[in-house]
């Protein structure tokens, strides 16, 4: 069994094994044009349940053959131009190369003594990102597993900063336990659910989140925010943080960051910008201005695995004031004792809520070194351009109704039949169209609700997708919806 360990005596076996795997995936990708085969859970579950995990095949080629049946054949392929579902991007090859390197070397980025070099490279990328945001010389941050973790981490820092300030400024002694129930978080009603979930996990409860309404472009109404902030203080409560979204998951809308920054400053709160989706603009040669105002943030979430074409996971949380990261610091005797800070040993675990942590930063490093920032940002520009063209297409199509001209690369629309059709049937027709399309494997689209009505969503992150693909998918959706309505009307009569 030692022959399976990757070491100085098995380098050849490692090479053969990985190349064989790469060959299979390359062949599969080259031959795959549809997002998936359309297999159902009921068909696939027995195949996977039938694998006896206690009877190993003892051979990589045999395991790859089996993998074809249980996974590769039916997986969802995001490189397919008609995959328009969630915020999954096709990945760039330099990043996939980085992924192969990082899992073979297997550095762990918690401490310097497990990641010589990697620690400094991650720090360079954090500085590169904070530089692009404009957070200033005191900025810092750390890579995380994703936007949800980054949001949680940022709100943890905001919570503990708020507690510290409220306790310091109080005329009478207050305990943290007394302050926590008085903290409030403000975010728009189309922000990511991880904001509410973080509030609950941080011991504040869902009720601590005040949702602020949005305008017709799905951007936070700042006059409503101003009103809520004042009301909060009038009740003797504390505005712990305002979470602005730069690229909402459904609409790609960007909250008015400069106005929000002014309000946050006036109320001595903490500004967090969730740029999980919109962060691609940081590298965009033409659209960086859409993020103007982000430089005022106290903390920022970026998801490189959404708009930087990186494989999952690759995300970071950035802060304006590196001192605030101390709220997640713990000095463990065995790992990162306090003396290491004095010896200036750069242990990233001091800033992270994880301990053992992947060198995900290497993927972005390879991407920037091979393609450059303009290269990767240009790809994001292409999908934003495509979304603008797609909006025109849907807007001109009498079968569909489209909402919100896109700032980024999503399109939210619904099938709307001519004539009088009951609203619940329209909802069902749209839901049916999405499900039937998924079951066919021809294309994948997402769905969401707008003012209680069922809508469909294209998330465009693939520069290979064309307006012809968009038109074709619209035709497929309309056909499924029409068929559904036709059958419903037959049943009704
Ligand atoms: C996707 C997304 C998140 C969550 O990020 P994960 O990487 O999926 O955890 C948070 N905020 C916004 C706006 C997102 O679009």
């Amino acid at each position: 069994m030692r022959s399976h360990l990757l070491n100085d005596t098995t380098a050849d076996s490692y090479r053969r094994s990985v190349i064989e795997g790469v060959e299979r995936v390359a062949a599969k990708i080259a031959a795959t044009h549809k997002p998936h085969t359309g297999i159902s859970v009921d068909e696939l579950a027995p195949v996977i349940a039938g694998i006896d995990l206690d009877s190993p095949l003892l051979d990589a080629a045999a395991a790859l053959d089996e993998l074809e049946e249980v996974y590769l054949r039916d997986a969802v392929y995001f490189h397919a131009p008609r995959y328009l579902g969630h915020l999954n991007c096709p990945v760039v090859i330099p990043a996939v190369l980085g992924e192969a390197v990082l899992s073979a070397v297997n550095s762990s980025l918690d401490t310097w003594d497990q990641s010589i070099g990697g620690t400094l490279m991650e720090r360079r990328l954090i500085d590169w990102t904070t530089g692009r945001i404009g957070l200033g010389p005191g900025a810092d941050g750390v890579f995380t597993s994703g936007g949800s973790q980054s949001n949680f981490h940022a709100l943890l820092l905001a919570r503990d900063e708020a507690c510290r300030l409220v306790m310091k400024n109080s005329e009478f002694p207050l305990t943290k336990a007394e302050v926590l129930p008085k903290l409030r978080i403000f975010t728009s009603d189309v922000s990511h659910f991880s904001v509410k979930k973080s509030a609950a996990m941080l011991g504040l409860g869902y009720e601590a989140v005040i949702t602020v309404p949005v305008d017709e472009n799905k951007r936070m109404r700042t006059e409503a925010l101003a009103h809520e902030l004042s009301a909060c203080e009038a009740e003797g409560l504390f505005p712990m943080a305002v979470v602005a979204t730069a690229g909402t998951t459904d609409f790609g809308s960007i909250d008015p960051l400069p106005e929000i920054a002014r309000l946050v400053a006036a109320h001595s709160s903490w500004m967090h910008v969730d740029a999980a989706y919109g962060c691609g603009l940081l590298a965009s040669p033409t659209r960086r201005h859409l993020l103007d105002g982000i430089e005022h943030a106290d903390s920022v979430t970026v998801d490189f695995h959404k708009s930087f074409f990186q494989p999952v996971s690759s995300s970071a949380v950035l802060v304006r004031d590196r001192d605030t990261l101390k709220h997640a610091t713990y000095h463990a005797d065995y790992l990162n004792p306090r003396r290491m800070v004095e010896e200036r040993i750069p242990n990233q675990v001091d800033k992270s809520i994880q301990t053992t942590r992947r060198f995900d930063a290497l993927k972005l490093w390879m991407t920037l070194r091979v393609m450059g920032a303009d290269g990767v940002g240009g790809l994001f520009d292409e999908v934003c351009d495509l979304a603008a063209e797609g909006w025109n297409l849907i807007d001109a199509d009498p079968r569909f109704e489209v909402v919100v001209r896109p700032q980024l690369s999503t399109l939210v629309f619904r099938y709307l039949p001519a004539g009088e059709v009951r609203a619940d049937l329209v909802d069902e027709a749209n839901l049916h169209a999405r499900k039937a399309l998924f079951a066919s494997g021809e294309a994948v689209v997402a769905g969401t609700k707008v003012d209680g009505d069922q809508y469909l969503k294209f998330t465009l992150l693939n520069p290979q997708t064309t307006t012809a693909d968009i038109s074709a998918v619209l035709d497929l959706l309309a056909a499924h919806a029409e068929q559904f309505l036709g059958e419903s009307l037959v049943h009704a009569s």
Side-chain angles (χ1 to χ4, degrees):
M1 282 299 132
R2 288 201 179 180
S3 65
H4 292 292
L5 287 170
L6 173 52
N7 60 33
D8 49 347
T9 66
T10 57
D12 267 333
S13 157
Y14 156 66
R15 183 182 297 121
R16 277 196 308 276
S17 190
V18 173
I19 288 177
E20 169 138 30
V22 170
E23 295 286 6
R24 304 251 188 148
V25 175
K28 173 60 68 185
I29 288 180
T32 301
H33 313 293
K34 280 170 58 169
H36 66 107
T37 58
I39 198 168
S40 68
V41 184
D42 289 344
E43 285 168 282
L44 193 55
V47 179
I48 292 177
I51 304 288
D52 180 0
L53 293 175
D54 291 315
S55 305
L57 300 164
L58 301 175
D59 172 57
L64 283 168
D65 287 341
E66 183 183 271
L67 198 65
E68 169 69 21
E69 300 298 311
V70 300
Y71 177 62
L72 290 175
R73 188 186 59 208
D74 300 301
V76 181
Y77 287 96
F78 303 137
H79 74 275
R82 295 184 187 176
Y83 177 84
L84 311 173
H86 302 286
L87 279 162
N88 313 98
C89 50
V91 290
V92 290
I93 296 169
V96 178
L97 174 60
E99 182 77 62
V101 173
L102 76 93
S103 54
V105 180
N106 200 28
S107 300
S108 178
L109 280 253
D110 41 342
T111 54
W112 172 252
D113 64 0
Q114 305 172 72
S115 69
I116 292 175
T119 293
L120 300 178
M121 290 160 76
E122 171 169 301
R123 289 184 163 203
R124 281 292 306 279
L125 288 169
I126 290 292
D127 291 347
W128 180 86
T129 311
T130 59
R132 292 231 162 203
I133 297 171
L135 288 181
D140 200 356
V142 72
F143 272 66
T144 68
S145 67
S148 303
Q149 192 194 330
S150 296
N151 283 345
F152 173 79
H153 191 157
L155 289 172
L156 180 141
L157 305 181
R159 180 195 68 181
D160 290 353
E161 271 303 288
C163 284
R164 188 179 69 77
L165 287 174
V166 170
M167 285 156 71
K168 192 178 92 180
N169 296 338
S170 171
E171 285 154 26
F172 46 91
L174 273 175
T175 64
K176 191 168 174 182
E178 288 167 319
V179 178
L180 288 178
K182 299 193 167 188
L183 299 181
R184 293 294 177 270
I185 300 168
F186 301 81
T187 193
S188 96
D189 56 15
V190 292
S191 71
H192 194 260
F193 70 86
S194 56
V195 175
K196 283 196 179 140
K197 199 164 154 178
S198 297
M201 291 191 293
L202 289 167
L204 306 173
Y206 289 118
E207 320 74 58
V209 179
I210 312 281
T211 50
V212 180
V214 289
D215 65 16
E216 65 283 4
N217 292 315
K218 306 292 178 189
R219 305 169 77 219
M220 189 191 286
R221 284 186 188 277
T222 46
E223 74 286 355
L225 174 64
H227 174 80
E228 291 292 356
L229 283 168
S230 303
C232 169
E233 284 163 348
E235 285 177 59
L237 303 172
F238 303 105
M240 168 189 127
V242 176
V243 179
T245 312
T248 58
T249 313
D250 274 346
F251 306 99
S253 47
I254 300 169
D255 286 335
L257 303 176
E259 289 97 291
I260 291 173
R262 269 192 289 281
L263 289 168
V264 168
H267 293 268
S268 309
S269 187
W270 174 288
M271 178 171 175
H272 176 64
V273 178
D274 179 358
Y277 174 17
C279 63
L281 298 175
L282 293 172
S284 159
T286 62
R287 290 176 166 82
R288 169 62 182 82
H289 63 274
L290 291 174
L291 290 179
D292 283 354
I294 196 173
E295 66 279 7
H296 300 299
D298 294 290
S299 56
V300 177
T301 287
V302 296
D303 252 358
F304 299 114
H305 62 218
K306 282 182 178 158
S307 47
F308 273 75
F309 304 91
Q310 300 292 295
V312 178
S313 298
S314 184
S315 178
V317 62
L318 297 321
V319 295
R320 155 178 309 287
D321 176 2
R322 64 170 63 94
D323 194 44
T324 58
L325 291 169
K326 68 174 184 254
H327 296 301
T329 306
Y330 186 92
H331 289 289
D333 292 336
Y334 84 94
L335 190 66
N336 60 333
R338 207 175 286 279
R339 69 161 170 83
M340 286 186 166
V341 178
E342 281 132 45
E343 292 168 27
R344 306 204 317 127
I345 294 170
N347 288 332
Q348 293 289 83
V349 71
D350 297 357
K351 310 169 190 174
S352 178
I353 59 178
Q354 291 169 267
T355 306
T356 305
R357 190 163 55 80
R358 289 163 53 85
F359 185 18
D360 285 315
L362 181 60
K363 295 178 283 191
L364 181 62
W365 181 277
M366 292 298 281
T367 302
L368 294 182
R369 296 312 296 141
V370 177
M371 300 171 62
D374 284 0
V376 72
L379 291 177
F380 191 53
D381 268 354
E382 285 187 47
V383 293
C384 294
D385 289 340
L386 177 68
E389 291 172 48
W391 192 92
N392 291 333
L393 258 178
I394 307 178
D395 188 45
D397 190 329
R399 300 169 299 178
F400 294 96
E401 173 192 67
V402 60
V403 297
V404 189
R405 223 176 241 282
Q407 280 182 293
L408 298 181
S409 65
T410 63
L411 293 167
V412 179
F413 60 96
R414 64 172 175 163
Y415 173 79
L416 199 58
E420 292 287 300
V421 179
R422 285 200 339 254
D424 58 329
L425 271 185
V426 175
D427 271 2
E428 283 178 44
N430 280 282
L431 208 51
H432 170 84
R434 179 186 174 197
K435 284 192 201 163
L437 188 66
F438 186 81
S440 75
E442 290 299 331
V444 177
V445 305
T448 192
K449 292 216 163 168
V450 181
D451 302 330
D453 294 327
Q454 185 64 49
Y455 276 71
L456 301 166
K457 178 169 77 158
F458 290 161
T459 307
L460 304 170
L461 278 181
N462 188 347
Q464 294 267 85
T465 305
T466 61
T467 49
D469 289 313
I470 293 180
S471 294
V473 176
L474 289 173
D475 287 345
L476 290 168
L477 286 166
H480 287 304
E482 273 154 25
Q483 193 199 1
F484 174 87
L485 285 178
E487 282 168 17
S488 309
L489 297 177
V490 170
H491 286 304
S493 59

